[in-house]
Amino acid sequence: MAGANSVYALDQSKPKARQIVDNFQEELIEVMKNGKKLGYSGRYDKLKGSVTNSHDLAKIARIVVGKEWEKLTEPQQQQLVDVFSRLSIASYAHNFKDYSGETFTFDTEEETTRGGVVIHSHLTIPDDKPVKFDYMLKEKGDSWRIINIIANGVSDLALKRSEYTTILQREGFDALMAKINEKIDNYSKQ
């Protein structure tokens, strides 16, 4: 009986999938509230830890390039994970820069047949239509991590996968790195 209690206690200490999403959304709102004061680089710095702690960036990078991942050398794989991580943080720093009363609201949570969890929520934007977010999470170690975000029915992962695999196949690894770095650079200037 004591063993069952200690297993239960362990499960209670592990952050739930919803907690990961809630904490991430709270950080986004906080950054938005201070967006102008922080500027792009301040938002980037503030979001770096939050994105790293809530997203499985290595898994996302692998998914994004699909079967091409196996053709990359280990240093190229690491370079891709690094640049993709920077891109993810940069896109949040770029897209969540102003605050005008936006709020995230939890809708529902569901388990997937493959052991994952989907958190359904929406972002209410004053004087605009709400944006529906579906966060797909998988367990990683002692926590949950976001592996895909679907905004209003559009998968960010699917969009990137289509674009990145095409560049890899047609132009090669260096062209893909250049394209992603160019995108990061553009985010920092807008």
Side-chain angles (χ1 to χ4, degrees):
M1 192 67 162
N5 286 341
S6 62
V7 169
Y8 180 73
L10 268 176
D11 283 348
Q12 293 302 93
S13 68
K14 180 174 18 178
K16 302 261 186 276
R18 181 175 170 187
Q19 280 178 283
I20 299 297
V21 172
D22 286 348
N23 292 345
F24 176 63
Q25 290 177 336
E26 286 170 21
E27 188 68 31
L28 282 177
I29 294 292
E30 220 27 63
V31 165
M32 288 167 68
K33 286 180 178 176
N34 298 296
K36 284 183 176 41
K37 185 172 73 177
L38 289 168
Y40 170 81
S41 63
R43 291 190 306 272
Y44 184 98
D45 291 342
K46 284 261 188 218
L47 289 168
K48 187 175 186 176
S50 182
V51 172
T52 304
N53 292 328
S54 60
H55 292 60
D56 187 343
L57 295 166
K59 183 176 190 115
I60 295 169
R62 275 195 316 272
I63 293 169
V64 158
V65 295
K67 292 176 184 167
E68 298 299 311
W69 178 263
E70 299 303 322
K71 298 175 186 171
L72 302 176
T73 65
E74 207 168 299
Q76 286 176 321
Q77 290 174 346
Q78 190 53 56
Q79 188 181 350
L80 178 65
V81 170
D82 292 344
V83 77
F84 186 78
S85 298
R86 289 196 344 265
L87 174 66
S88 297
I89 299 161
S91 68
Y92 285 116
H94 169 74
N95 292 321
F96 291 86
K97 57 187 165 206
D98 299 318
Y99 182 75
S100 55
E102 291 85 353
T103 55
F104 280 103
T105 305
F106 169 80
D107 294 326
T108 59
E109 177 177 338
E110 65 180 283
E111 289 186 27
T112 67
T113 54
R114 300 176 80 187
V117 171
V118 180
I119 304 292
H120 303 281
S121 68
H122 63 275
L123 176 66
T124 302
I125 305 167
D127 304 321
D128 207 343
K129 290 180 180 165
V131 179
K132 184 180 180 325
F133 284 98
D134 301 312
Y135 296 87
M136 304 177 98
L137 295 94
K138 282 279 199 185
E139 274 186 288
K140 181 179 183 181
D142 63 352
S143 187
W144 289 90
R145 292 287 183 258
I146 297 166
I147 59 164
N148 191 11
I149 300 173
I150 299 169
N152 283 340
V154 178
S155 166
D156 183 53
L157 205 60
L159 291 175
K160 284 185 172 84
R161 185 172 184 155
S162 171
E163 178 186 358
Y164 293 180
T165 54
T166 301
I167 294 169
L168 261 178
Q169 290 167 348
R170 290 185 186 163
E171 302 171 49
F173 181 77
D174 291 339
L176 178 61
M177 292 299 97
K179 187 85 156 169
I180 296 173
N181 279 311
E182 180 185 328
K183 200 172 275 194
I184 293 167
D185 195 41
N186 288 339
Y187 280 150
S188 70
K189 292 175 182 171
Q190 294 176 6

